[in-house]
């Protein structure tokens, strides 16, 4: 199965380092953030991957490409563990790249994947600056697709004072942890944010989109029809709301921990989390 990993943003919250190092290439231990994202996709069966990059982010391409010269040196030096670590990276998945020429938002970046996805019935999108700490939600999302044939978004509880930073979903529970969504809003004010309703009719905590999506190719027509929204950008959430109106959209809740590498504080916290074997 195929996946798209958008990794084209400017990384303004990581300036000045993002001048020279893409935020997706910042280290978590001995590997960059995007290594974990590719590994998650491949492990969940999405091992044909399109990474959306922008100019200046060629180190991502270099990281996932074989490096025969380095391999030769390590082999000659008998450094077999290092050699294996180096060889394992390009073997994780079959990766292609597309360039986003102008920064027109996440929706525009995903739109660039249309030809790559082709006629595949379903594909995933994993945001390149988020690491899922425990099991990936993609398994549950793929299972929801198998039984209900609807696209989905991963949801996680979100404190009220943070809803204006995320995409937020409203909807009704139709199975354990699975919601039929009735509203998708990008970065709403807390008093205008939609809510999920449990099976017994009680309102739940706010739930935000947690950086993992499962789409049908119909999302591409929805993206083409979506005009610039919040921040003058083509918002993926606006296209998802269109797709929901046409075909329905599920929310799949997930109880693992999302490590958001979108800010320096998030990166530090993620490094701490990953250093902890629990
Ligand atoms: C993006 C999406 C938002 C989502 C968030 C985290 O926002 O637009 O809907 O909740 O990622 O997955 P960004 O962090 O790029 O502002």
């Amino acid at each position: 199965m195929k996946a798209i990993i958008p990794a084209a943003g400017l990384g303004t919250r990581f300036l000045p380092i993002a001048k020279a190092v893409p935020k997706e290439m910042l280290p978590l231990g001995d590997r960059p953030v995007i290594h974990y994202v590719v590994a998650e996709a491949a492990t969940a069966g999405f091992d044909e991957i399109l990474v959306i990059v922008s100019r200046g982010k060629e180190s991502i391409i270099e990281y996932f490409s074989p490096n025969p010269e380095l391999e030769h040196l390590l082999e000659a030096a008998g450094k077999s563990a290092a050699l294996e670590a180096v060889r394992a990276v390009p073997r994780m998945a079959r990766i292609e790249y597309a360039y986003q020429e102008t920064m027109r938002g996440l929706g525009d970046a995903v739109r660039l994947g249309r030809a790559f996805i082709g006629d595949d019935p379903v594909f995933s999108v994993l945001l390149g600056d988020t690491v899922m700490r425990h099991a990936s939600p993609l398994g549950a999302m793929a299972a929801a697709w198998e039984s209900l044939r609807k696209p989905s978004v991963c949801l996680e509880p979100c404190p009220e004072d943070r809803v204006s930073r995320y995409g937020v979903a409203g909807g009704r529970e139709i199975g354990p942890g699975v919601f039929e969504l009735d509203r998708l809003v990008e970065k709403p004010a807390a008093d205008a944010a939609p809510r999920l309703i449990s099976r017994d009719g009680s309102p739940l905590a706010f739930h935000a989109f947690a950086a993992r999506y499962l789409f049908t190719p119909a999302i591409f027509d929805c993206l083409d029809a979506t005009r610039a929204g919040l921040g003058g950008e083509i918002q993926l959430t606006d296209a998802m709301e269109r797709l929901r109106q046409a075909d329905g959209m599920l929310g799949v809740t997930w109880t693992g921990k999302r490590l958001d590498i979108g800010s320096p504080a998030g990166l530090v916290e993620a490094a701490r989390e990953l250093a902890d074997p629990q």
Side-chain angles (χ1 to χ4, degrees):
M1 288 189 289
K2 291 176 186 158
I4 298 176
I5 300 181
L10 290 174
T12 39
R13 272 173 285 188
F14 278 105
L15 288 171
I17 190 171
K19 279 177 74 197
V21 182
K23 68 173 175 178
E24 296 81 4
M25 285 301 292
L26 291 169
L28 277 176
D30 58 4
R31 51 202 67 188
V33 166
I34 195 166
H35 178 113
Y36 295 87
V37 182
V38 166
E40 178 193 339
T43 305
F46 297 90
D47 58 357
E48 287 179 65
I49 298 175
L50 180 72
V51 179
I52 313 289
V53 294
S54 49
R55 209 165 317 126
K57 292 197 157 188
E58 286 71 22
S59 57
I60 295 178
I61 303 174
E62 201 180 324
Y63 180 75
F64 288 108
S65 302
N67 185 334
E69 231 167 80
L70 176 60
E71 287 176 27
H72 182 73
L73 287 173
L74 292 172
E75 201 163 12
K79 302 203 168 184
S80 52
L83 177 64
E84 209 21 65
V86 164
R87 279 189 176 151
V89 175
R91 285 188 190 150
M92 280 196 294
R94 203 166 64 87
I95 306 183
E96 294 179 25
Y97 302 90
Y99 273 84
Q100 188 182 25
E101 303 290 342
T102 43
M103 300 293 112
R104 295 173 61 205
L106 178 59
D108 180 60
V110 172
R111 214 164 56 88
L112 299 172
R114 186 194 273 269
F116 173 78
I117 299 301
D119 293 331
D120 281 23
V122 70
F123 66 97
S124 61
V125 172
L126 298 88
L127 302 192
D129 61 2
T130 290
V131 172
M132 297 314 218
R133 174 74 171 96
H134 299 107
S136 169
L138 292 173
M141 295 164 77
W145 163 259
E146 286 305 324
S147 59
L148 299 162
R149 295 278 145 182
K150 286 187 182 171
S152 62
V153 55
C154 175
L155 299 177
E156 65 175 0
C158 176
E160 185 168 346
D161 61 349
R162 294 174 65 117
V163 293
S164 62
R165 296 191 198 182
Y166 296 107
V168 180
R172 185 165 283 276
E173 192 173 22
I174 55 170
V178 179
F179 293 78
E180 178 76 54
L181 302 184
D182 58 18
R183 233 180 114 211
L184 303 159
V185 194
E186 181 67 9
K187 303 189 171 75
D191 58 7
R195 273 194 122 101
L196 297 181
I197 308 287
S198 76
R199 277 196 120 160
D200 63 16
S202 47
L204 298 173
F206 290 113
H207 277 70
F209 306 170
R212 301 294 182 260
Y213 309 83
L214 200 79
F215 292 138
T216 56
I219 192 71
F220 295 116
D221 284 342
C222 297
L223 283 164
D224 285 347
T226 299
R227 304 197 173 208
L230 194 70
E233 298 189 336
I234 311 239
Q235 294 290 345
L236 179 61
T237 301
D238 294 346
M240 287 164 64
E241 174 61 19
R242 267 176 198 273
L243 182 59
R244 181 197 72 72
Q245 285 171 21
D247 298 340
M249 172 86 55
L250 304 172
V252 175
T253 55
W254 180 69
T255 49
K257 180 149 183 167
R258 187 168 73 88
L259 306 178
D260 187 347
I261 323 290
S263 68
L267 181 70
V268 170
E269 199 196 316
R272 260 197 220 119
E273 266 291 321
L274 289 174
D276 175 358
Q278 292 310 301

